Amino acid sequence: MSEKKRLKMRPRSGWAAFLTLIVALALVPFLGPPPYVTHVLILVLLFAYLGTAWNLIGGYGGQLSLGHGAFFGLGAYTSTLLFLNYGLSPWIGMAIAAGVGAGSAALIGYPCFRFGLRGPFFALATLAFGLIVVELLTAFREITGGSLGIFPPYLGNVPHLFQFASKEAYYMIILAMWALIVLLVRAMRRTRYYLVAIREDEEAAAALGVPVRKYKLLAAVISGALSGIGGTFYAQYFSYINPESAAGLALSVEILTVAIFGGMYGLMGPTLGSAVLTPISELLRIWLGGTYLGVHLMIYGLLLILVIVFMPRGILGKLEEVLKRELEF
Amino acid sequence: MGGIYALMSIGLNLIFGVIKVVNFAHGEFLMLGMYIAYWAFTLYGLDPYVSLPLVAISILALGALTQGLIINPLLKTKEINQVLATIGLMIFLENLALFLWKSDFRSVLTAYSAASISIGEMRISFARLLAFAVAMGTALAFYALLTKTDVGRRIRAVAQDAEAAELMGIDHRRIYIATFGLGGALVGVAAAAMSPIYYAFPTVGALFGPTAFIVVVLGGLGSFIGAMIGGLIIGIVESIAGVLTNAELAKAFAFAIFLLVLFRKPTGLFGERARV
Amino acid sequence: MTTVLEGRGLSKRFGGLWALRGVDFRLEEGEILGLIGPNGSGKTTLFNVVTGFLKPTEGRVVAFGEDITALPPYKICQRGIARTFQIARPFSDLTVLDNVVIGALLRTGDPEEAVEKAKNILDFVGLYRKARDLGKNLTTIERKHLELAKALSTEPKILLLDEVMAGLKPAEMDAILKTLVRIRDSGVSEIVVEHVMRAIEAICDRVIVLDYGEKIAEGKPREVMANGKVIDAYLGREYRLA
């Protein structure tokens, strides 16, 4: 006797919601928002983008990386230095930054997976890798400007060199980057299934034919490449980078807090997390100014603890619980 | 400094060995302890060796609270959650210190800070010698506690088999709280002993935390050799820094060694390597 | 008859202890081979060695005429050898359906197709009504069924089953026995580790017996159980205890 009946299909309305969101966000600049609002929205999208990249290896794959700041920073330095020293357009630099991000992720990821570093030990190794990158970026000051960082010259509105006079242009670029990364991760369905299996039980996954090491490395490399691309965007938008702010542990922590707070088990979790957290930390930055540098990180640390203890699936998971439906699309 | 690393590592190792949690905030416990010693000295003129019990008890309380409020509720969840929680604590404490006390370097200058003892050709700092002696004394006292007292026996029972201990009427959650507290107390002693010889600043924990991990990964529970190697690495780093006059390269070098140690001994104390 | 899986002189040493010692076995196409022996006699170790989770200290594993001894577990699974774990290992935070989809993805890159296949397999093992439940919320028996479903989802030609019937009631056992025979009839060869003699007798074409890591008997179930060595080593000991 068959008990087979139709299982509820995933809600198709998600697609419509996602497209509506993109269109709505694309229309924002035409409403003439004050520059500061545009700035905060750019940061929200940037951290949504970075959180989504992190989530591939950190959330789906369950490998807690504290090294994403390094992949990001190396990307930022790559395109900036190539432009300053060789006049290479940062658009091309961005592609090379992706390669550098991927390469550095492989450099730390491969030995970690090869030697079976899991859980806290993967976190420790990536932490150390991030610290090494910051120290090296500072140490080679003849090239990198040391801890003072680099100010690329402002050239006005030169789109082919990834420089724009208006914030709105940067906004549109990061909006596109965010939309693309969400669609990319969404399209990697088999990879996500495999990564989740690896997160749950590596041996049981291997017994089902999942090449555990290969997929962990794949996720790390893609995640690193996407972070490197994010680094180039950051360098172009801020026209200033230094080792601590572009590659430091603080950045890695911001990225992972956004992802975990939003919900690391879902596609839209990091975006939700960034939408809530980034404006808060920006407001804190204005209110408290430069005197209390670490305040938003202090809050992030506290939030991390609270979220893990009280809602480990983040706000996305909480929403799904309340609405009793999956918010995937 | 070897003694200090040993003490920190014993605390870290105790927590991992019994609770199976890696305390990422361990270095930050040290940092807070150093600040307590610093303020006790600056505000009330208490010598760090006088305020040592106070520091130890404060960090003991911090450890116990960490376990009771944060780790215990997470015991039955994924390991990654416990890791994340202690990372959160690490970030919180570090930036709390930055918020409260700024990033200034603060040091405790006692009458004996600069004193030294000459043995033949060698000159050994008196403060360092004292720190070493206190650390070793504490380590011995800790072993006595672990082997001779009832609490120590319970801790060891839980470490071996929490379920079996439960059947014998030992509440492993309470033992975990005691264990984390004890691990904290050891760090507290290390912090007090360290304050006459090193600056207190918000990221001092990030500097010494990894060293304690190296010691743990290299050696067994309180392994003397592990502690020695940890001390040696810092020694190497310091001398290279002297040659290179480039502190960043030296630090990068230290972290690179830390990485290599992790790769070489991924199993070390910490479970088996699976073939997948 | 063709041999699909063969162990040649398999040995595995843990420290000073031989968990397996010089074990030879053959699995013929379309048969169900029983693997019995007292606790700690090396049955699970043999599974781990065959499926690549442990490297044998000595000996070779040959499947479909090729040496697979050095291959990692996922490659062995890709070659059509699937296993279950003695203590079921569901992906606890995933739904039962997703648990099976992961295995089904081995043979198809298309997730939709994998989902359809997973549903059919869940239906086959009788877990369909639990498809939306999380792995961690299953009962022990449901977990055993899920183990079987996961292994089947990889479309194996050889299936290694580690005590899938332990703790089942007679009626439940009959259901699973029928399932195992149906799987065999669809062209899958099976090795079954089991303590329940009635189950072994009912479905196994041949049986091999391990004791202290060594093979002490081989043959038809009835013959083996009449073998004095076997009674001594295994049945006797257990029966006397009981």
Side-chain angles (χ1 to χ4, degrees):
Chain A
M1 190 180 64
S2 171
E3 6 172 21
K4 196 172 171 186
K5 55 180 188 288
R6 219 155 27 93
L7 282 171
K8 207 179 74 196
M9 289 297 291
R10 285 173 192 280
R12 287 281 159 190
S13 56
W15 254 115
F18 182 65
L19 289 177
T20 314
L21 181 64
I22 289 179
V23 171
L25 285 172
L27 290 175
V28 167
F30 299 103
L31 301 174
Y36 197 73
V37 171
T38 312
H39 173 70
V40 171
L41 283 175
I42 289 173
L43 290 182
V44 166
L45 287 169
L46 176 63
F47 276 95
Y49 170 91
L50 294 172
T52 307
W54 179 88
N55 212 37
L56 198 56
I57 180 77
Y60 289 113
Q63 312 297 313
L64 258 185
S65 163
L66 291 170
H68 269 60
F71 310 146
F72 177 87
L74 286 171
Y77 271 90
T78 299
S79 57
T80 304
L81 291 175
L82 285 174
F83 173 63
L84 287 180
N85 296 319
Y86 305 102
L88 188 73
S89 163
W91 286 111
I92 300 166
M94 198 178 214
I96 299 170
V100 170
S104 54
L107 187 68
I108 182 65
Y110 181 78
C112 279
F113 304 141
R114 168 77 185 72
F115 294 116
L117 261 57
R118 297 185 193 177
F121 305 101
F122 181 74
L124 274 175
T126 49
L127 172 71
F129 181 77
L131 295 172
I132 291 173
V133 167
V134 170
E135 299 298 344
L136 289 181
L137 286 176
T138 315
F140 292 102
R141 36 183 65 80
E142 298 81 14
I143 308 168
T144 62
S147 54
L148 294 176
I150 312 176
F151 293 89
Y154 176 69
L155 305 172
N157 202 37
V158 269
H160 73 282
L161 292 179
F162 207 147
Q163 284 210 18
F164 302 94
S166 74
K167 280 193 191 312
E168 281 72 19
Y170 288 106
Y171 173 82
M172 286 308 212
I173 291 168
I174 191 67
L175 176 61
M177 281 168 62
W178 166 77
L180 286 175
I181 200 175
V182 170
L183 291 175
L184 173 75
V185 174
R186 182 183 178 278
M188 298 167 65
R189 284 192 65 187
R190 176 176 163 150
T191 305
R192 279 188 291 149
Y193 267 118
Y194 275 11
L195 288 174
V196 168
I198 291 166
R199 175 186 80 206
E200 295 289 318
D201 186 337
E202 291 191 5
E203 287 184 24
L208 295 182
V210 177
V212 172
R213 256 197 251 157
K214 186 181 134 190
Y215 271 83
K216 281 205 263 187
L217 192 61
L218 182 76
V221 164
I222 295 176
S223 185
L226 294 168
S227 302
I229 291 174
T232 297
F233 174 84
Y234 174 93
Q236 293 310 117
Y237 175 60
F238 282 97
S239 326
Y240 171 63
I241 48 175
N242 73 40
E244 204 51 62
S245 69
L249 176 64
L251 185 69
S252 299
V253 169
E254 283 171 341
I255 295 171
L256 79 87
T257 307
V258 157
I260 289 160
F261 181 75
M264 60 174 158
Y265 299 127
L267 180 58
M268 297 306 282
T271 299
L272 260 176
S274 179
V276 176
L277 285 186
T278 308
I280 294 176
S281 86
E282 273 313 296
L283 287 178
L284 280 173
R285 243 190 273 251
I286 309 172
W287 284 341
L288 299 170
T291 36
Y292 296 109
L293 277 175
V295 172
H296 76 285
L297 283 174
M298 193 172 100
I299 292 171
Y300 275 28
L302 198 59
L303 270 178
L304 207 50
I305 300 172
L306 292 175
V307 169
I308 288 296
V309 173
F310 294 108
M311 47 177 204
R313 302 184 78 87
I315 40 181
L316 181 72
K318 205 77 198 166
L319 269 177
E320 289 184 336
E321 221 173 272
V322 172
L323 300 175
K324 290 197 172 69
R325 60 181 280 188
E326 276 182 55
L327 294 175
E328 298 290 297
F329 69 97
Chain B
M1 299 289 254
I4 307 259
Y5 298 136
L7 219 47
M8 275 187 80
S9 314
I10 294 170
L12 192 63
N13 211 343
L14 174 73
I15 293 168
F16 186 81
V18 178
I19 315 172
K20 313 282 181 283
V21 166
V22 174
N23 180 21
F24 273 76
H26 212 66
E28 282 59 39
F29 282 20
L30 179 86
M31 177 269 296
L32 277 188
M34 289 178 74
Y35 270 108
I36 295 172
Y38 169 80
W39 288 115
F41 179 79
T42 310
L43 299 179
Y44 306 106
L46 291 178
D47 185 276
Y49 286 99
V50 177
S51 63
L52 186 142
L54 173 78
V55 177
I57 290 170
S58 309
I59 308 299
L60 184 147
L62 178 64
L65 283 175
T66 303
Q67 180 65 35
L69 297 179
I70 302 174
I71 308 295
N72 268 351
L74 296 176
L75 282 178
K76 290 213 186 308
T77 66
K78 288 193 172 66
E79 185 187 30
I80 188 175
N81 287 351
Q82 298 152 18
V83 178
L84 276 168
T86 66
I87 290 175
L89 188 62
M90 163 180 93
I91 300 299
F92 172 69
L93 292 178
E94 191 179 312
N95 290 287
L96 179 72
L98 191 64
F99 174 66
L100 292 175
W101 306 307
K102 308 283 186 307
S103 53
D104 307 340
F105 284 51
R106 297 164 195 267
S107 60
V108 174
L109 277 178
T110 57
Y112 50 84
S113 282
S116 62
I117 298 165
S118 298
I119 307 170
E121 295 286 298
M122 289 209 317
R123 270 164 46 92
I124 299 170
S125 147
F126 177 70
R128 281 175 184 246
L129 205 62
L130 194 58
F132 185 77
V134 167
M136 284 299 124
T138 309
L140 286 177
F142 167 72
Y143 278 117
L145 181 83
L146 209 56
T147 49
K148 299 280 192 307
T149 69
D150 190 46
V151 178
R153 274 191 285 274
R154 280 163 189 256
I155 288 177
R156 284 185 300 142
V158 171
Q160 281 198 347
D161 191 336
E163 271 177 43
E166 195 80 55
L167 291 174
M168 286 154 50
I170 302 174
D171 179 357
H172 69 274
R173 287 172 178 258
R174 287 178 60 184
I175 291 298
Y176 284 170
I177 291 175
T179 305
F180 216 118
L182 206 55
L186 290 172
V187 182
V189 173
M194 182 124 142
S195 55
I197 51 181
Y198 211 85
Y199 307 100
F201 51 96
T203 50
V204 69
L207 198 61
F208 287 98
T211 316
F213 282 112
I214 293 185
V215 178
V216 172
V217 174
L218 282 179
L221 184 67
S223 150
F224 186 65
I225 296 172
M228 292 282 286
I229 293 175
L232 210 64
I233 289 170
I234 292 298
I236 293 171
V237 168
E238 279 173 355
S239 50
I240 287 178
V243 177
L244 291 176
T245 61
N246 188 332
E248 290 85 16
L249 268 187
K251 273 197 243 168
F253 189 71
F255 292 129
I257 291 177
F258 173 62
L259 259 182
L260 288 180
V261 169
L262 269 183
F263 292 151
R264 282 268 327 137
K265 280 199 91 172
T267 53
L269 274 169
F270 306 122
E272 287 183 22
R273 191 195 302 178
R275 238 186 124 224
V276 286
Chain C
M1 245 195 279
T2 36
T3 303
V4 285
L5 181 67
E6 191 182 353
R8 293 179 191 160
L10 288 173
S11 299
K12 178 69 194 177
R13 193 177 57 202
F14 293 113
L17 191 83
W18 290 91
L20 281 181
R21 200 152 197 182
V23 174
D24 294 302
F25 74 90
R26 281 162 169 271
L27 175 68
E28 309 294 344
E29 189 170 7
E31 85 170 330
I32 298 181
L33 175 66
L35 179 58
I36 62 174
N39 283 329
S41 60
K43 303 176 302 268
T44 298
T45 306
L46 184 62
F47 271 19
N48 282 333
V49 165
V50 169
T51 50
F53 282 90
L54 291 172
K55 254 195 185 122
T57 314
E58 288 161 20
R60 317 301 305 170
V61 181
V62 177
F64 313 110
E66 281 176 63
D67 190 331
I68 60 162
T69 319
L71 295 182
Y74 78 91
K75 282 198 176 150
I76 290 177
C77 179
Q78 287 172 353
R79 290 193 178 212
I81 302 171
R83 69 169 297 176
T84 67
F85 290 95
Q86 188 183 358
I87 297 164
R89 298 172 83 158
F91 302 120
S92 41
D93 268 342
L94 300 191
T95 63
V96 167
L97 181 65
D98 284 347
N99 263 275
V100 183
V101 168
I102 285 159
L105 282 167
L106 181 65
R107 306 291 175 202
T108 167
D110 176 14
E112 303 296 334
E113 200 183 318
V115 169
E116 279 313 307
K117 205 174 116 189
K119 287 179 184 171
N120 288 332
I121 291 168
L122 283 178
D123 194 32
F124 180 72
V125 302
L127 262 185
Y128 197 83
R129 77 212 128 80
K130 294 281 180 181
R132 288 283 170 198
D133 288 17
L134 292 184
K136 62 182 169 195
N137 295 338
L138 295 185
T139 65
T140 313
I141 293 161
E142 288 165 349
R143 283 171 192 228
K144 298 247 176 202
H145 285 103
L146 179 56
E147 279 290 304
L148 183 60
K150 283 162 75 178
L152 283 176
S153 67
T154 64
E155 292 180 19
K157 283 173 275 183
I158 298 169
L159 194 52
L160 308 182
L161 301 162
D162 202 345
E163 295 198 24
V164 285
M165 277 167 273
L168 297 191
K169 297 188 195 102
E172 294 163 339
M173 200 189 302
D174 286 339
I176 244 186
L177 285 174
K178 264 185 207 145
T179 309
L180 294 189
V181 171
R182 273 172 72 192
I183 294 168
R184 192 262 314 269
D185 292 344
S186 72
V188 179
S189 317
E190 299 169 36
I191 302 183
V192 181
V193 165
E194 208 52 66
H195 274 302
V196 189
M197 282 307 144
R198 191 173 68 82
I200 293 283
E201 265 189 76
I203 60 169
C204 292
D205 303 294
R206 283 187 312 127
V207 173
I208 59 176
V209 188
L210 293 182
D211 191 31
Y212 291 110
E214 292 184 58
K215 186 169 82 175
I216 56 166
E218 179 168 5
K220 298 246 179 262
R222 293 217 170 259
E223 296 165 16
V224 165
M225 282 171 207
N227 183 321
K229 255 166 126 184
V230 177
I231 294 170
D232 257 11
Y234 177 58
L235 302 169
R237 212 185 298 160
E238 300 236 322
Y239 278 79
R240 251 171 251 144
L241 278 173

Short mmCIF file of all heavy atoms in Angstrom, two decimals, chain B residues 203-238:
data_model
loop_
_atom_site.label_atom_id
_atom_site.label_comp_id
_atom_site.label_asym_id
_atom_site.label_seq_id
_atom_site.Cartn_x
_atom_site.Cartn_y
_atom_site.Cartn_z
N THR B 203 44.22 44.47 23.36
CA THR B 203 44.47 43.33 22.48
C THR B 203 45.60 42.44 22.99
O THR B 203 46.10 41.59 22.26
CB THR B 203 44.81 43.79 21.05
OG1 THR B 203 45.82 44.77 21.14
CG2 THR B 203 43.60 44.36 20.35
N VAL B 204 45.98 42.62 24.27
CA VAL B 204 47.05 41.78 24.80
C VAL B 204 46.64 40.31 24.77
O VAL B 204 47.46 39.40 24.57
CB VAL B 204 47.49 42.23 26.22
CG1 VAL B 204 46.39 41.96 27.23
CG2 VAL B 204 48.77 41.55 26.64
N GLY B 205 45.32 40.08 24.92
CA GLY B 205 44.83 38.70 24.90
C GLY B 205 45.03 38.06 23.54
O GLY B 205 45.39 36.89 23.42
N ALA B 206 44.83 38.86 22.48
CA ALA B 206 44.98 38.34 21.12
C ALA B 206 46.44 37.96 20.87
O ALA B 206 46.73 37.14 20.01
CB ALA B 206 44.51 39.38 20.11
N LEU B 207 47.35 38.60 21.65
CA LEU B 207 48.77 38.31 21.48
C LEU B 207 49.16 37.01 22.18
O LEU B 207 49.90 36.20 21.64
CB LEU B 207 49.57 39.49 22.06
CG LEU B 207 51.01 39.62 21.63
CD1 LEU B 207 51.11 39.81 20.14
CD2 LEU B 207 51.63 40.80 22.35
N PHE B 208 48.62 36.82 23.40
CA PHE B 208 49.04 35.66 24.18
C PHE B 208 48.11 34.46 24.03
O PHE B 208 48.53 33.34 24.28
CB PHE B 208 49.18 36.04 25.66
CG PHE B 208 50.39 36.88 25.91
CD1 PHE B 208 50.29 38.25 26.00
CD2 PHE B 208 51.64 36.28 26.02
CE1 PHE B 208 51.42 39.03 26.20
CE2 PHE B 208 52.76 37.05 26.23
CZ PHE B 208 52.65 38.43 26.32
N GLY B 209 46.87 34.70 23.62
CA GLY B 209 45.93 33.60 23.43
C GLY B 209 46.50 32.53 22.52
O GLY B 209 46.60 31.35 22.91
N PRO B 210 46.91 32.91 21.29
CA PRO B 210 47.42 31.89 20.36
C PRO B 210 48.61 31.11 20.93
O PRO B 210 48.73 29.91 20.69
CB PRO B 210 47.85 32.72 19.14
CG PRO B 210 46.96 33.91 19.18
CD PRO B 210 46.78 34.22 20.65
N THR B 211 49.45 31.79 21.71
CA THR B 211 50.58 31.08 22.30
C THR B 211 50.11 29.97 23.22
O THR B 211 50.64 28.87 23.21
CB THR B 211 51.48 32.06 23.08
OG1 THR B 211 51.64 33.23 22.29
CG2 THR B 211 52.81 31.45 23.38
N ALA B 212 49.08 30.30 24.00
CA ALA B 212 48.54 29.28 24.89
C ALA B 212 47.99 28.10 24.08
O ALA B 212 48.15 26.95 24.47
CB ALA B 212 47.43 29.88 25.76
N PHE B 213 47.39 28.41 22.93
CA PHE B 213 46.90 27.33 22.07
C PHE B 213 48.04 26.46 21.57
O PHE B 213 47.93 25.24 21.53
CB PHE B 213 46.12 27.89 20.87
CG PHE B 213 44.73 28.32 21.22
CD1 PHE B 213 44.38 29.65 21.19
CD2 PHE B 213 43.78 27.38 21.58
CE1 PHE B 213 43.10 30.05 21.53
CE2 PHE B 213 42.50 27.77 21.90
CZ PHE B 213 42.17 29.11 21.89
N ILE B 214 49.14 27.12 21.18
CA ILE B 214 50.30 26.36 20.70
C ILE B 214 50.73 25.38 21.78
O ILE B 214 50.96 24.20 21.52
CB ILE B 214 51.49 27.29 20.38
CG1 ILE B 214 51.16 28.17 19.19
CG2 ILE B 214 52.74 26.47 20.10
CD1 ILE B 214 52.30 29.03 18.73
N VAL B 215 50.82 25.89 22.99
CA VAL B 215 51.28 25.05 24.09
C VAL B 215 50.34 23.86 24.26
O VAL B 215 50.79 22.73 24.43
CB VAL B 215 51.39 25.88 25.38
CG1 VAL B 215 51.80 25.02 26.54
CG2 VAL B 215 52.36 27.04 25.19
N VAL B 216 49.04 24.13 24.17
CA VAL B 216 48.08 23.05 24.36
C VAL B 216 48.19 22.02 23.23
O VAL B 216 48.19 20.82 23.45
CB VAL B 216 46.64 23.60 24.42
CG1 VAL B 216 45.65 22.46 24.43
CG2 VAL B 216 46.47 24.45 25.65
N VAL B 217 48.30 22.54 22.01
CA VAL B 217 48.33 21.62 20.87
C VAL B 217 49.60 20.77 20.90
O VAL B 217 49.59 19.59 20.60
CB VAL B 217 48.22 22.40 19.54
CG1 VAL B 217 48.41 21.48 18.36
CG2 VAL B 217 46.87 23.08 19.45
N LEU B 218 50.70 21.38 21.30
CA LEU B 218 51.97 20.65 21.31
C LEU B 218 52.06 19.64 22.44
O LEU B 218 52.57 18.55 22.27
CB LEU B 218 53.14 21.62 21.42
CG LEU B 218 53.52 22.35 20.15
CD1 LEU B 218 54.67 23.30 20.43
CD2 LEU B 218 53.91 21.36 19.07
N GLY B 219 51.58 20.01 23.58
CA GLY B 219 51.79 19.14 24.73
C GLY B 219 50.51 18.56 25.26
O GLY B 219 49.43 18.88 24.80
N GLY B 220 50.63 17.70 26.21
CA GLY B 220 49.45 17.14 26.86
C GLY B 220 49.02 18.07 27.96
O GLY B 220 49.40 19.24 28.00
N LEU B 221 48.21 17.56 28.86
CA LEU B 221 47.72 18.36 29.97
C LEU B 221 48.91 18.89 30.78
O LEU B 221 49.61 18.14 31.45
CB LEU B 221 46.81 17.52 30.86
CG LEU B 221 46.15 18.24 32.03
CD1 LEU B 221 45.15 19.27 31.54
CD2 LEU B 221 45.46 17.25 32.94
N GLY B 222 49.13 20.21 30.67
CA GLY B 222 50.20 20.83 31.43
C GLY B 222 51.57 20.31 31.07
O GLY B 222 52.48 20.33 31.88
N SER B 223 51.70 19.85 29.82
CA SER B 223 52.99 19.32 29.41
C SER B 223 54.09 20.36 29.52
O SER B 223 53.98 21.46 29.00
CB SER B 223 52.91 18.82 27.97
OG SER B 223 54.16 18.94 27.34
N PHE B 224 55.13 20.01 30.22
CA PHE B 224 56.23 20.93 30.43
C PHE B 224 56.90 21.24 29.11
O PHE B 224 57.24 22.38 28.81
CB PHE B 224 57.23 20.31 31.41
CG PHE B 224 58.32 21.23 31.80
CD1 PHE B 224 58.04 22.39 32.51
CD2 PHE B 224 59.63 20.97 31.44
CE1 PHE B 224 59.05 23.27 32.87
CE2 PHE B 224 60.64 21.84 31.80
CZ PHE B 224 60.36 22.98 32.51
N ILE B 225 57.08 20.18 28.28
CA ILE B 225 57.73 20.37 26.99
C ILE B 225 56.93 21.33 26.12
O ILE B 225 57.48 22.24 25.49
CB ILE B 225 57.90 19.01 26.27
CG1 ILE B 225 58.85 18.15 27.10
CG2 ILE B 225 58.43 19.21 24.85
CD1 ILE B 225 58.95 16.73 26.61
N GLY B 226 55.62 21.15 26.11
CA GLY B 226 54.75 22.05 25.35
C GLY B 226 54.95 23.49 25.79
O GLY B 226 55.11 24.39 24.97
N ALA B 227 54.97 23.70 27.10
CA ALA B 227 55.16 25.04 27.63
C ALA B 227 56.51 25.61 27.21
O ALA B 227 56.63 26.77 26.83
CB ALA B 227 55.03 25.02 29.14
N MET B 228 57.52 24.75 27.26
CA MET B 228 58.87 25.18 26.88
C MET B 228 58.89 25.62 25.42
O MET B 228 59.44 26.67 25.07
CB MET B 228 59.86 24.04 27.05
CG MET B 228 60.12 23.64 28.49
SD MET B 228 61.23 24.79 29.27
CE MET B 228 62.77 24.29 28.48
N ILE B 229 58.29 24.79 24.56
CA ILE B 229 58.31 25.12 23.13
C ILE B 229 57.56 26.41 22.87
O ILE B 229 58.01 27.27 22.11
CB ILE B 229 57.72 23.95 22.30
CG1 ILE B 229 58.64 22.74 22.41
CG2 ILE B 229 57.54 24.36 20.84
CD1 ILE B 229 58.13 21.50 21.74
N GLY B 230 56.41 26.56 23.56
CA GLY B 230 55.66 27.81 23.42
C GLY B 230 56.53 28.99 23.79
O GLY B 230 56.60 29.99 23.07
N GLY B 231 57.22 28.88 24.91
CA GLY B 231 58.10 29.96 25.36
C GLY B 231 59.20 30.21 24.35
O GLY B 231 59.53 31.35 24.02
N LEU B 232 59.73 29.10 23.82
CA LEU B 232 60.82 29.18 22.85
C LEU B 232 60.39 29.94 21.60
O LEU B 232 61.12 30.78 21.07
CB LEU B 232 61.22 27.75 22.46
CG LEU B 232 62.67 27.54 22.06
CD1 LEU B 232 63.57 27.81 23.25
CD2 LEU B 232 62.87 26.13 21.55
N ILE B 233 59.19 29.64 21.15
CA ILE B 233 58.69 30.30 19.94
C ILE B 233 58.65 31.81 20.13
O ILE B 233 59.10 32.58 19.29
CB ILE B 233 57.30 29.75 19.56
CG1 ILE B 233 57.44 28.33 19.04
CG2 ILE B 233 56.64 30.63 18.51
CD1 ILE B 233 56.14 27.60 18.87
N ILE B 234 58.13 32.21 21.28
CA ILE B 234 58.08 33.64 21.55
C ILE B 234 59.50 34.21 21.62
O ILE B 234 59.78 35.30 21.11
CB ILE B 234 57.32 33.91 22.87
CG1 ILE B 234 55.85 33.57 22.68
CG2 ILE B 234 57.46 35.37 23.28
CD1 ILE B 234 55.13 34.38 21.63
N GLY B 235 60.41 33.42 22.19
CA GLY B 235 61.81 33.85 22.24
C GLY B 235 62.36 34.08 20.84
O GLY B 235 62.96 35.12 20.56
N ILE B 236 62.10 33.10 19.96
CA ILE B 236 62.57 33.21 18.58
C ILE B 236 61.99 34.46 17.93
O ILE B 236 62.69 35.25 17.29
CB ILE B 236 62.13 31.96 17.76
CG1 ILE B 236 62.87 30.73 18.28
CG2 ILE B 236 62.40 32.17 16.27
CD1 ILE B 236 62.35 29.43 17.70
N VAL B 237 60.70 34.64 18.13
CA VAL B 237 60.04 35.79 17.53
C VAL B 237 60.67 37.09 18.01
O VAL B 237 60.95 37.99 17.23
CB VAL B 237 58.54 35.77 17.87
CG1 VAL B 237 57.90 37.10 17.51
CG2 VAL B 237 57.87 34.64 17.15
N GLU B 238 60.94 37.15 19.31
CA GLU B 238 61.52 38.37 19.85
C GLU B 238 62.89 38.64 19.26
O GLU B 238 63.24 39.76 18.91
CB GLU B 238 61.59 38.30 21.39
CG GLU B 238 60.25 38.63 22.02
CD GLU B 238 60.23 38.41 23.52
OE1 GLU B 238 61.24 37.89 24.05
OE2 GLU B 238 59.21 38.72 24.15
#
